Amino acid sequence: MRTDLHGVWGSGHGPVSGLAPQTRLLSGALLFGACMTSPADTAMGSLLIAVIATVWLMACRPPARVVRLALSLGCVLFLPYFLLTPLLPDAPQTLTGDWLPALAVPWSVFIRGISGMLVSISTVTVLSGSDFYEAMTRLPVPHLISAILLQIVHQTGTLYYETKRIAAAMAVRGAARGGVAAWRVLSSLPRVWLPRVIERAERVSWAMELRGYSESGMRQFRQTRTRDTDCAVLIMTGCVFALAAALRIWRI
Amino acid sequence: MSGPVLEYRAVSVRYEPAAAPAVADITLAVEAGERVALMGLNGSGKTTLLLAAVGLVPHEGEILAGGEPLTHKSISRIRGRTGFLFNVPEDQLLFPKVIDDISFGLVRRGLPPREAASQAARVADALGVAHLAQAPLHHLSHGQKQRVALAGALVTDPPLLLLDEPSAGLDPPGKRALAAILSRLNAAIIVATHDLDFAARFCTRFVILDNGRIVSDSDGMEQITSLWQL
């Protein structure tokens, strides 16, 4: 399944899209934090994680192909951990033994991983590139950190397309057919692709320097007003995070 | 501001201390409103000379912009009144949306966002990219990116424009349109190019570089046509 990197940004059409950009970003971050904080080895904790991911998914309503891609990627990344269960110290010696304590470990990795991915991707789909910029400039993040983060996001696209071009060139020049040609192309990649990317990064840093990108604080391009709905959503997501923390502290 | 808008006095640039200079002993003055084509073969030092003018590569000798010597103290002032176009426009587009990228120079100077956006929209209109104002940058073609980058450089109305291969990758109508836009500007323009047709459309002075040295400085293209045996 092919999903264009830039196509994911701002592709969600859930009710959350109407909130201020900083509310969307902060809420996503709080819910992601809640998923990571909630104890995944208790029934209550797991339930909370599942509810957070599902509700946020519905609130952001990302395109089905993006959800399918996230779920497939999550399964590929996190399901193999279950294969390691017999090697864990808590694993019973026989098949009929109590596997629950041992299964709690890969289950924690799986549910946190999947829910974290779904929450982050859903958040990305309700933020366009410029929404993300606006959100970062409005949140109390140190200027240097927000400038670096914004450029990482912005330049990831550039590097993604650069890599796609290199992959296309490799395919055209016979590297996709395997054998000696593939080996020669692949072995030259670190000496060709890396300097190309470094050179590009240097030119971008020159441009940033020239245009005064990092000289002063991040500037806002639009004036957006925070409404009561934004405050309500932030309070709710804050409460969810607090609940997750409480479950973890009291091991419920 | 008095005297030439940009002046190189015996400027040399070396990328490595022991290496041969990329440009050597360059003395050149560009007056306000002058349109200079910096011509030469690949590797002749055109880009290096432009980069040196805004302090992006270390130089020997003296560079003055608007009569002010280029030093650590003056560098941000000089950059503030210089518009620069890199040869790969993508490198200098730093914001996700066209209008944000164009208006950045104004917003940075403290203009209220709404005013900056309307001023940026006027420049975008003049460069024929007004219809792309709300478009994400990655949806643009090379020529459109080139125009957006130029709009970002022009929006602050700088008295000096340094353009590195602005016609590269443009189709013939695109080149003609860009030359027409540049010929209408009041700023002094130094354009590094080896595109004779493009330079001839709006430049009034032709400086030829060869191996990092100026070999000709004239108001006609005869030198370069005979040098390149055209």
Side-chain angles (χ1 to χ4, degrees):
Chain A
M1 187 192 324
R2 286 187 165 216
T3 297
D4 188 69
L5 184 72
H6 279 102
V8 175
W9 287 86
S11 59
H13 299 291
V16 169
S17 331
L19 299 172
Q22 64 271 30
T23 310
R24 287 176 252 165
L25 184 61
L26 195 56
S27 301
L30 279 168
L31 294 178
F32 178 84
C35 288
M36 297 302 121
T37 310
S38 182
D41 52 355
T42 68
M44 198 60 144
S46 292
L47 185 67
L48 180 67
I49 294 174
V51 168
I52 291 172
T54 313
V55 170
W56 192 240
L57 206 62
M58 284 157 64
C60 298
R61 217 183 304 147
R65 65 188 163 87
V66 175
V67 179
R68 276 200 303 272
L69 185 69
L71 283 172
S72 327
L73 192 64
C75 288
V76 168
L77 285 173
F78 305 117
L79 271 181
Y81 283 94
F82 282 95
L83 297 173
L84 300 173
T85 315
L87 306 174
L88 292 170
D90 288 342
Q93 300 301 312
T94 59
L95 267 176
T96 50
D98 182 13
W99 283 87
L100 275 179
L103 280 169
V105 178
W107 170 250
S108 297
V109 174
F110 177 74
I111 193 162
R112 282 207 179 112
I114 286 267
S115 62
M117 275 183 80
L118 287 176
V119 168
S120 332
I121 288 174
S122 301
T123 310
V124 164
T125 61
V126 286
L127 288 165
S128 66
S130 45
D131 285 340
F132 182 65
Y133 179 91
E134 292 296 324
M136 289 301 289
T137 55
R138 283 177 168 81
L139 290 174
V141 181
H143 154 62
L144 191 66
I145 293 174
S146 54
I148 290 171
L149 272 176
L150 285 165
Q151 277 314 304
I152 287 174
V153 170
H154 184 56
Q155 297 305 330
T156 302
T158 309
L159 291 183
Y160 168 77
Y161 291 114
E162 185 91 26
T163 308
K164 265 179 92 171
R165 278 195 290 272
I166 291 171
M170 279 170 66
V172 167
R173 300 192 66 191
R177 285 197 292 271
V180 180
W183 170 246
R184 287 193 69 168
V185 172
L186 284 173
S187 62
S188 73
L189 268 185
R191 283 169 290 144
V192 178
W193 181 78
L194 206 59
R196 204 160 133 179
V197 169
I198 290 171
E199 209 175 277
R200 172 141 224 165
E202 188 182 36
R203 290 200 306 262
V204 171
S205 78
W206 277 353
M208 288 170 77
E209 207 180 318
L210 260 186
R211 298 189 67 190
Y213 183 82
S214 50
E215 237 167 52
S216 46
M218 302 304 295
R219 306 293 182 164
Q220 293 166 8
F221 289 107
R222 269 164 284 284
Q223 284 149 343
T224 52
R225 199 171 291 162
T226 314
R227 292 167 303 169
D228 292 345
T229 338
D230 291 285
C231 297
V233 169
L234 280 177
I235 290 169
M236 272 197 294
T237 48
C239 288
V240 171
F241 182 80
L243 178 64
L247 289 181
R248 189 183 186 91
I249 292 165
W250 289 297
R251 305 294 306 164
I252 302 167
Chain B
M1 207 187 293
S2 60
V5 72
L6 180 69
E7 193 175 0
Y8 296 90
R9 289 183 185 164
V11 170
S12 299
V13 175
R14 282 171 212 275
Y15 285 106
E16 301 286 336
V23 293
D25 201 27
I26 299 287
T27 296
L28 178 74
V30 178
E31 300 296 331
E34 205 172 10
R35 294 182 201 132
V36 181
L38 215 50
M39 309 192 78
L41 300 174
N42 297 122
S44 56
K46 306 184 294 289
T47 300
T48 302
L49 209 51
L50 296 187
L51 294 174
V54 282
L56 286 175
V57 289
H59 65 274
E60 297 157 28
E62 202 176 7
I63 295 175
L64 294 100
E68 189 176 14
L70 180 72
T71 61
H72 277 294
K73 272 187 177 173
S74 65
I75 204 162
S76 79
R77 270 196 308 279
I78 289 173
R79 284 175 179 173
R81 48 176 199 258
T82 307
F84 200 103
L85 188 72
F86 284 85
N87 59 359
V88 181
E90 263 174 10
D91 292 343
Q92 71 187 91
L93 302 176
L94 303 171
F95 297 90
K97 205 186 270 183
V98 167
I99 196 71
D100 293 349
D101 200 274
I102 297 176
S103 61
F104 173 65
L106 299 168
V107 174
R108 190 183 147 231
R109 289 176 179 205
L111 230 70
R114 193 168 297 197
E115 208 175 310
S118 76
Q119 214 163 307
R122 275 200 296 277
V123 178
D125 189 34
L127 289 173
V129 286
H131 63 292
L132 301 169
Q134 301 303 319
L137 282 164
H138 61 274
H139 283 173
L140 310 188
S141 69
H142 176 81
Q144 290 169 331
K145 282 179 186 163
Q146 192 83 291
R147 283 170 184 231
V148 171
L150 185 62
L154 289 179
V155 76
T156 54
D157 199 15
L160 173 64
L161 264 182
L162 305 175
L163 313 175
D164 190 5
E165 303 283 5
S167 62
L170 294 185
D171 51 29
K175 279 184 198 181
R176 281 197 294 275
L178 183 61
I181 290 163
L182 294 174
S183 64
R184 287 198 295 268
L185 299 174
N186 295 322
I189 302 173
I190 305 181
V191 55
T193 184
H194 38 66
D195 186 336
L196 301 179
D197 179 51
F198 175 72
R201 283 179 183 275
F202 72 100
C203 290
T204 50
R205 184 176 166 194
F206 303 87
V207 175
I208 304 169
L209 284 173
D210 186 34
N211 271 326
R213 290 176 189 276
I214 292 178
V215 291
S216 164
D217 183 351
S218 65
D219 55 5
M221 295 192 76
E222 301 78 23
Q223 288 286 338
I224 194 133
T225 46
S226 69
L227 211 68
W228 289 356
Q229 295 170 348
L230 295 169

Coordinates of all heavy atoms in Angstrom, one line a residue, chain A residues 143-185:
Chain A
H143 N 12.5 28.3 22.0 CA 12.6 28.7 20.6 C 13.5 27.7 19.8 O 13.2 27.3 18.7 CB 13.1 30.1 20.5 CG 13.8 30.4 19.2 ND1 13.2 30.4 18.0 CD2 15.1 30.8 19.0 CE1 14.0 30.7 17.1 NE2 15.2 31.0 17.6
L144 N 14.7 27.4 20.4 CA 15.7 26.6 19.7 C 15.1 25.2 19.4 O 15.2 24.7 18.3 CB 17.0 26.5 20.5 CG 18.1 25.9 19.7 CD1 18.6 26.8 18.6 CD2 19.3 25.7 20.6
I145 N 14.4 24.6 20.4 CA 13.9 23.3 20.2 C 12.8 23.3 19.2 O 12.7 22.4 18.3 CB 13.3 22.8 21.6 CG1 14.5 22.5 22.5 CG2 12.5 21.5 21.4 CD1 14.2 22.2 23.9
S146 N 11.9 24.3 19.3 CA 10.8 24.3 18.3 C 11.3 24.5 16.9 O 10.9 23.9 15.9 CB 9.7 25.4 18.6 OG 10.3 26.6 18.8
A147 N 12.4 25.4 16.7 CA 13.0 25.6 15.4 C 13.6 24.4 14.9 O 13.4 24.0 13.7 CB 14.0 26.7 15.5
I148 N 14.3 23.6 15.7 CA 14.9 22.4 15.3 C 13.8 21.3 14.9 O 13.8 20.7 13.8 CB 15.8 21.8 16.3 CG1 17.1 22.7 16.4 CG2 16.2 20.4 16.0 CD1 18.0 22.4 17.6
L149 N 12.8 21.2 15.8 CA 11.7 20.2 15.5 C 11.0 20.5 14.2 O 10.7 19.6 13.4 CB 10.7 20.3 16.6 CG 10.9 19.4 17.8 CD1 9.9 19.6 18.9 CD2 10.9 17.9 17.4
L150 N 10.7 21.8 14.0 CA 10.0 22.2 12.8 C 10.8 21.9 11.5 O 10.3 21.4 10.5 CB 9.7 23.7 12.8 CG 8.5 24.1 13.7 CD1 8.5 25.6 14.0 CD2 7.2 23.6 13.1
Q151 N 12.1 22.2 11.6 CA 12.9 21.9 10.5 C 13.1 20.4 10.2 O 13.2 19.9 9.1 CB 14.3 22.6 10.6 CG 14.3 24.0 10.1 CD 13.5 24.2 8.8 OE1 13.9 23.6 7.8 NE2 12.5 25.0 8.8
I152 N 13.1 19.6 11.4 CA 13.2 18.1 11.2 C 12.0 17.7 10.4 O 12.1 16.9 9.4 CB 13.3 17.4 12.6 CG1 14.7 17.7 13.2 CG2 13.0 15.9 12.4 CD1 14.9 17.1 14.6
V153 N 10.8 18.1 10.8 CA 9.6 17.7 10.1 C 9.6 18.2 8.7 O 9.3 17.4 7.8 CB 8.3 18.3 10.9 CG1 7.1 18.1 10.1 CG2 8.2 17.6 12.2
H154 N 10.0 19.5 8.5 CA 9.9 20.0 7.1 C 11.0 19.3 6.2 O 10.6 19.0 5.1 CB 10.2 21.5 7.2 CG 10.2 22.2 5.9 ND1 9.0 22.2 5.2 CD2 11.1 23.0 5.3 CE1 9.2 22.9 4.1 NE2 10.5 23.4 4.1
Q155 N 12.2 19.1 6.7 CA 13.2 18.5 5.9 C 13.1 17.0 5.7 O 13.7 16.5 4.8 CB 14.6 18.9 6.5 CG 14.9 20.4 6.5 CD 14.8 21.0 5.1 OE1 15.0 20.4 4.1 NE2 14.4 22.3 5.1
T156 N 12.3 16.4 6.6 CA 12.1 14.9 6.5 C 11.5 14.7 5.1 O 11.8 13.7 4.4 CB 11.2 14.4 7.6 OG1 11.8 14.7 8.8 CG2 11.0 12.9 7.5
G157 N 10.6 15.6 4.7 CA 9.9 15.5 3.4 C 10.9 15.5 2.3 O 10.9 14.7 1.4
T158 N 11.8 16.5 2.4 CA 12.9 16.7 1.4 C 13.7 15.4 1.3 O 14.0 15.0 0.2 CB 13.8 17.9 1.8 OG1 12.9 19.0 2.0 CG2 14.7 18.3 0.7
L159 N 14.2 14.9 2.4 CA 15.0 13.7 2.4 C 14.2 12.5 1.9 O 14.8 11.7 1.2 CB 15.5 13.4 3.9 CG 16.5 14.5 4.4 CD1 17.1 14.0 5.7 CD2 17.7 14.6 3.4
Y160 N 13.0 12.5 2.2 CA 12.1 11.4 1.8 C 12.1 11.3 0.3 O 12.3 10.3 -0.4 CB 10.7 11.5 2.4 CG 9.6 10.6 1.8 CD1 9.6 9.3 2.1 CD2 8.7 11.2 0.9 CE1 8.5 8.5 1.6 CE2 7.7 10.4 0.4 CZ 7.6 9.0 0.7 OH 6.6 8.3 0.2
Y161 N 11.9 12.5 -0.3 CA 11.8 12.6 -1.8 C 13.2 12.4 -2.4 O 13.3 11.8 -3.5 CB 11.2 13.9 -2.3 CG 9.7 14.0 -1.9 CD1 9.2 14.9 -1.0 CD2 8.8 13.1 -2.5 CE1 7.9 14.9 -0.7 CE2 7.5 13.1 -2.1 CZ 7.0 14.0 -1.2 OH 5.7 14.0 -0.9
E162 N 14.2 12.8 -1.7 CA 15.6 12.6 -2.2 C 15.9 11.1 -2.3 O 16.4 10.6 -3.2 CB 16.6 13.3 -1.3 CG 18.0 13.3 -1.7 CD 18.4 14.5 -2.5 OE1 17.8 15.5 -2.4 OE2 19.4 14.3 -3.3
T163 N 15.5 10.4 -1.2 CA 15.7 9.0 -1.1 C 14.9 8.3 -2.2 O 15.3 7.3 -2.8 CB 15.3 8.5 0.3 OG1 16.0 9.3 1.3 CG2 15.6 7.0 0.5
K164 N 13.6 8.7 -2.4 CA 12.8 8.1 -3.5 C 13.5 8.3 -4.8 O 13.5 7.4 -5.6 CB 11.4 8.8 -3.5 CG 10.4 8.1 -2.7 CD 9.1 8.8 -2.7 CE 8.2 8.3 -3.8 NZ 6.8 8.8 -3.7
R165 N 14.1 9.5 -5.1 CA 14.8 9.7 -6.3 C 15.9 8.7 -6.5 O 16.2 8.2 -7.5 CB 15.2 11.1 -6.4 CG 14.1 12.1 -6.9 CD 14.7 13.4 -7.4 NE 15.3 14.2 -6.2 CZ 14.5 15.0 -5.5 NH1 13.3 15.2 -5.8 NH2 15.1 15.7 -4.5
I166 N 16.7 8.6 -5.4 CA 17.8 7.7 -5.4 C 17.4 6.2 -5.7 O 18.0 5.5 -6.5 CB 18.7 7.8 -4.1 CG1 19.4 9.1 -4.1 CG2 19.7 6.7 -4.0 CD1 20.0 9.5 -2.8
A167 N 16.3 5.8 -5.0 CA 15.7 4.5 -5.2 C 15.3 4.3 -6.7 O 15.6 3.2 -7.3 CB 14.6 4.3 -4.3
A168 N 14.7 5.3 -7.3 CA 14.3 5.3 -8.7 C 15.5 5.1 -9.6 O 15.5 4.3 -10.5 CB 13.5 6.5 -9.0
A169 N 16.6 5.9 -9.2 CA 17.8 5.8 -10.0 C 18.4 4.4 -9.9 O 18.9 3.9 -10.9 CB 18.8 6.9 -9.6
M170 N 18.4 3.9 -8.7 CA 18.9 2.5 -8.5 C 18.2 1.5 -9.4 O 18.7 0.6 -10.0 CB 18.8 2.1 -7.1 CG 19.9 2.7 -6.2 SD 19.5 2.4 -4.5 CE 19.6 0.7 -4.3
A171 N 16.8 1.6 -9.4 CA 16.0 0.7 -10.1 C 16.3 0.8 -11.6 O 16.5 -0.2 -12.3 CB 14.5 1.0 -9.9
V172 N 16.4 2.1 -12.1 CA 16.6 2.3 -13.5 C 18.0 1.8 -14.0 O 18.1 1.2 -15.1 CB 16.5 3.8 -13.8 CG1 17.0 4.2 -15.2 CG2 15.0 4.3 -13.7
R173 N 19.0 1.9 -13.1 CA 20.3 1.5 -13.4 C 20.6 0.0 -13.2 O 21.8 -0.4 -13.1 CB 21.3 2.4 -12.8 CG 21.1 3.9 -13.2 CD 22.2 4.8 -12.8 NE 23.5 4.4 -13.5 CZ 24.7 4.9 -13.1 NH1 24.7 5.8 -12.2 NH2 25.7 4.6 -13.8
G174 N 19.6 -0.7 -12.9 CA 19.8 -2.2 -12.8 C 20.0 -2.7 -11.4 O 20.1 -3.9 -11.3
A175 N 20.0 -1.9 -10.4 CA 20.2 -2.4 -9.0 C 19.1 -3.3 -8.5 O 19.3 -4.1 -7.7 CB 20.5 -1.2 -8.1
A176 N 17.9 -3.1 -9.1 CA 16.8 -3.8 -8.6 C 16.8 -5.3 -9.1 O 16.1 -6.1 -8.5 CB 15.5 -3.1 -9.0
R177 N 17.6 -5.5 -10.1 CA 17.6 -6.9 -10.7 C 18.5 -7.8 -9.8 O 18.5 -9.0 -10.1 CB 18.1 -6.8 -12.1 CG 17.1 -6.3 -13.1 CD 17.4 -6.7 -14.5 NE 18.6 -5.9 -14.9 CZ 18.6 -4.8 -15.5 NH1 17.4 -4.1 -15.7 NH2 19.7 -4.2 -15.9
G178 N 19.2 -7.3 -8.9 CA 20.1 -8.1 -8.0 C 21.4 -8.4 -8.7 O 21.8 -7.8 -9.7
G179 N 22.2 -9.3 -8.1 CA 23.5 -9.7 -8.6 C 24.5 -8.6 -8.4 O 24.4 -7.8 -7.5
V180 N 25.5 -8.6 -9.3 CA 26.7 -7.8 -9.1 C 26.3 -6.3 -9.2 O 26.8 -5.5 -8.4 CB 27.8 -8.1 -10.2 CG1 29.0 -7.2 -10.0 CG2 28.2 -9.5 -10.1
A181 N 25.4 -6.0 -10.1 CA 25.0 -4.6 -10.3 C 24.4 -4.0 -9.0 O 24.7 -3.0 -8.5 CB 23.9 -4.5 -11.4
A182 N 23.5 -4.8 -8.4 CA 22.9 -4.4 -7.1 C 23.9 -4.2 -6.1 O 23.9 -3.2 -5.3 CB 21.8 -5.5 -6.7
W183 N 24.8 -5.2 -6.0 CA 25.9 -5.1 -5.0 C 26.7 -3.8 -5.1 O 27.0 -3.1 -4.2 CB 26.7 -6.3 -5.0 CG 28.0 -6.2 -4.1 CD1 29.3 -6.2 -4.5 CD2 28.0 -6.1 -2.7 NE1 30.1 -6.0 -3.4 CE2 29.3 -5.9 -2.3 CE3 27.0 -6.0 -1.7 CZ2 29.7 -5.8 -1.0 CZ3 27.3 -5.8 -0.4 CH2 28.7 -5.7 0.0
R184 N 27.1 -3.5 -6.4 CA 27.9 -2.4 -6.7 C 27.2 -1.1 -6.3 O 27.8 -0.2 -5.7 CB 28.4 -2.3 -8.1 CG 29.4 -3.4 -8.4 CD 30.0 -3.2 -9.7 NE 30.9 -2.0 -9.7 CZ 31.7 -1.7 -10.7 NH1 31.8 -2.5 -11.7 NH2 32.5 -0.6 -10.6
V185 N 26.0 -1.0 -6.6 CA 25.2 0.2 -6.3 C 25.0 0.3 -4.8 O 25.3 1.4 -4.2 CB 23.8 0.2 -7.0 CG1 22.9 1.4 -6.5 CG2 24.0 0.3 -8.5

